[in-house]
């Protein structure tokens, strides 16, 4: 019986029927997706559509990591959070929203800040990692951890009226450090909380991140490895460009990589990037 | 040589918030071709209006800037030694970290 | 006092602070958006992210038209609907979800099928129309109605692993009939219910539709008039192409257009396209 | 003449589900240029494997198909009389109605 072999219950067959009709996805794609586990780091502007669409489409298990609480001025872009959850943990709010649209999906709440001390343990439980964070040190940390654990990383970013998306450490492609061996000067590191972002811009990038994660999980299409998608909202132009491959000199994934789990756990990402992982300690901007 | 230069990810703020620049750049005197190394110098002198240190470091772009020649990372075409051709599109984009 | 002149209350200034920080959007963009009214036709795969992001970003008034009820096999792509709403009206479910993320937005529920007899009255109440329907006759009808009422139309479509997006009847650009004066053969008119769709694909297109609606409402950037965005999920390629301008011969918007409100109200769109507006009467496919 | 032909929106189903075809097409004998009218005939004979009526109607494409030459609607370049050039990219896309 094909149905049982593929692990799809009659309930799943009915719910995902529009997926099963797709020649390029079908029972095999849904079955793989339903057996996959995906970690979403950050339950903010990017993480909102990522988690909602992974849940709707039927990922087997979704983990969400975040230590923030929901604030009113997040809600212009973080559509996963209801006003009723203001003041509560983002991971609880996000997991609750995912459960309410698909009770078949397993949700794991990691209500803590991802750090070099817990990242290896948390990421090791998942097949695919989605970087939906909002800061530079976290991006280096997550990439290094994915290289150490050999996990594909779907990385998105959005600021102002622009967005970027790529898949790191997949199909022999580069990691974050291959592209950016040296961190940019601090003055170049703008955050949404400082510089603003149009709410729907992370929506576009987050949906595309969910798509890349689904493609990797179900083994369909060509994921954005060694390519980057660049989105300009004002002109509605989106280009997909070819980027460099893996660097032989990369300290994380290169031929003589000297990064081990031990060095990772002691690495000071905030010092390395001269930039904080959390903006809780920063002064709030007032208009 | 007619080139299209595009700036994104915040780099446009260094050139009066104009993202797309249609420019005409000649090879250095005595040279028969234009390479990226020369183009960077030309851009610094002619296009960048403020905080040049946010665009360049030494004779290359600063860390965190991706350079694309015809939608392809310049690391694949020779980096500073990439030879430019008529009507090439050169994109400078600062990597984003927000979400 | 700038704040009062722009109609932004202190509550709005706090909630939308990340928008107000944006040089290209700012107080003026938010003020215009907050005064705009946008109609979303269809509360399905496209309408879900459209309505959620318009609500989150702070459109003044959002109308939603749909006569369907929520079904379990919608939920793989229609992220606005919770399981608890299965069996209830989609417009009620969608409006409820929008209210729960932004109580400052006015929501209007049109719990009826849009038809030539009610379209003029309903569309006339809004500044911008978003076509988030799933069938060909509705697309012609909505375009004709937008031309008659002189409203910009943000039109998106998704099927399988592909999507398309454009803005009709805006900035002197073409209407739907300028591009497609003759309907395609019935065999070319696939629907998601027949052919399937990967849930996140309408997510990407719907977010981009919300963006175009926001750009028009707030008068920023270049809307996708006389251009079309074409999305291929398998390859993650998105191209923005130039399409023809307004056709002088168009029967809806051309120089000698013979379409009046009276002919519109009597026009049989299902006969014209040989295709039904609703799939309720069609046999359900079973795997 | 080297051309890239792309089919989307379901039209790829008419050509064995292959979306991108790199082809070499010569002008008709006696002609010195290749126009879209000739290319359509060539595609119908060489690329379309089933239901040709879902691709063409009369000597043009069927209603509901957009034709793009180098990312530009062929209505802007002369429709059937559009002249093709080496390395042009021609896209045939069926309009979608789903949601
Ligand atoms: Zn590396
Ligand atoms: Zn027209």
């Amino acid at each position: 019986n094909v149905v049982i072999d593929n692990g799809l219950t009659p309930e799943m067959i009915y719910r995902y029927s529009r997926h099963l009709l797709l020649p390029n996805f079908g029972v095999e794609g849904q079955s793989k997706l339903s057996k996959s586990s995906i970690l979403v780091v950050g339950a903010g502007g990017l993480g909102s559509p990522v988690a909602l669409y992974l849940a709707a489409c039927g990922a087997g298990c979704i983990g969400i990591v975040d230590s923030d609480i929901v604030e009113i001025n997040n809600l212009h872009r973080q559509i996963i959070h209801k006003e009723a959850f203001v003041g509560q943990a983002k991971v609880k709010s996000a997991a609750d929203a995912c459960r309410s649209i698909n009770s078949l999906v397993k949700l794991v709440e990691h209500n803590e800040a991802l750090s070099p001390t817990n990242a290896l343990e948390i990421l090791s439980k998942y097949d695919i990692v989605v970087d939906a964070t909002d800061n530079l040190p976290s991006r280096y940390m997550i990439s290094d951890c994915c290289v150490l654990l050999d996990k594909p990383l779907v990385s998105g970013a959005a600021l102002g009226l622009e967005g970027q998306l790529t898949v790191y450490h997949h199909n022999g492609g580069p990691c974050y450090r291959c592209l950016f061996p040296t961190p940019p000067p601090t003055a170049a590191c703008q955050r949404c909380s400082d510089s603003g972002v149009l709410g729907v811009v992370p929506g576009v990038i987050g949906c595309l991140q969910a798509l890349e994660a689904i493609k990797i999980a179900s083994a369909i299409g060509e994921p954005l490895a060694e390519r980057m998608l660049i989105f300009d909202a004002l002109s509605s132009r989106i280009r997909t460009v070819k980027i460099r491959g893996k660097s032989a000199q990369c300290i994380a994934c290169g031929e003589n990589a000297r990064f081990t789990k031990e060095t990772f756990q002691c690495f000071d990402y905030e010092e390395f990037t001269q930039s904080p992982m959390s903006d809780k300690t920063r002064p709030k901007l007032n208009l | 040589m007619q080139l299209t230069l595009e700036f994104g990810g915040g780099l446009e703020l260094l050139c009066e918030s104009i993202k797309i620049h249609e420019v005409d750049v000649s090879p250095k005197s005595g040279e028969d071709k234009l390479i990226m190394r020369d183009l960077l110098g030309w851009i610094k002198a002619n296009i960048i209006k403020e905080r040049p240190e946010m665009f360049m470091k030494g004779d290359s772009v600063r860390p965190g800037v991706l350079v694309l020649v015809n939608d392809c990372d310049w690391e694949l075409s020779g980096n500073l030694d990439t030879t430019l051709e008529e009507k090439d599109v050169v994109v400078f984009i600062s990597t984003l970290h927000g979400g």
Side-chain angles (χ1 to χ4, degrees), chain A residues 143-144 147 169 173-179 245-254:
Chain A
S143 176
D144 288 346
V147 171
H169 193 65
C175 79
Y176 194 74
R177 281 189 195 263
C178 291
L179 255 74
K246 196 165 158 160
S247 160
Q249 285 76 47
C250 178
I251 66 158
C253 76

Side-chain angles (χ1 to χ4, degrees), chain A residues 22-42:
Chain A
L22 283 171
N24 287 309
F25 193 79
V27 171
E28 202 182 340
Q30 190 68 50
S31 173
K32 284 181 182 157
L33 181 58
S34 299
K35 287 171 187 162
S36 71
S37 59
I38 304 176
L39 181 69
V40 183
V41 187

Side-chain angles (χ1 to χ4, degrees), chain A residues 15-91:
Chain A
R15 178 186 283 262
Y16 306 123
S17 56
R18 302 317 185 234
H19 285 170
L20 307 184
L21 285 164
L22 283 171
N24 287 309
F25 193 79
V27 171
E28 202 182 340
Q30 190 68 50
S31 173
K32 284 181 182 157
L33 181 58
S34 299
K35 287 171 187 162
S36 71
S37 59
I38 304 176
L39 181 69
V40 183
V41 187
L46 297 165
S48 289
V50 172
L52 286 172
Y53 277 101
L54 290 178
C57 290
C61 171
I62 303 169
I64 308 173
V65 200
D66 204 314
S67 65
D68 283 353
I69 59 162
V70 180
E71 295 179 68
I72 281 280
N73 60 7
N74 299 150
L75 301 186
H76 78 110
R77 70 184 190 280
Q78 303 183 10
I79 59 162
I80 205 166
H81 305 302
K82 298 181 211 46
E83 288 179 358
F85 278 84
V86 167
Q88 293 190 54
K90 281 189 182 176
V91 287

Side-chain angles (χ1 to χ4, degrees), chain A residues 187-254:
Chain A
C189 298
Q190 300 167 319
R191 280 169 187 254
C192 298
S193 49
D194 301 340
S195 310
V197 60
L198 186 67
V200 70
V201 172
V204 172
I205 298 295
C207 284
L208 290 165
Q209 281 183 284
L211 170 64
E212 292 305 308
I214 290 169
K215 284 162 63 180
I216 296 170
S218 58
I220 64 159
E222 307 155 54
L224 271 172
E226 288 187 52
R227 295 187 296 151
M228 183 178 282
L229 186 146
I230 299 170
F231 171 49
D232 181 65
L234 279 181
S235 65
S236 301
R237 285 211 310 161
I238 305 181
R239 54 170 107 221
T240 309
V241 302
K242 183 147 182 49
I243 56 173
R244 70 199 73 174
K246 196 165 158 160
S247 160
Q249 285 76 47
C250 178
I251 66 158
C253 76

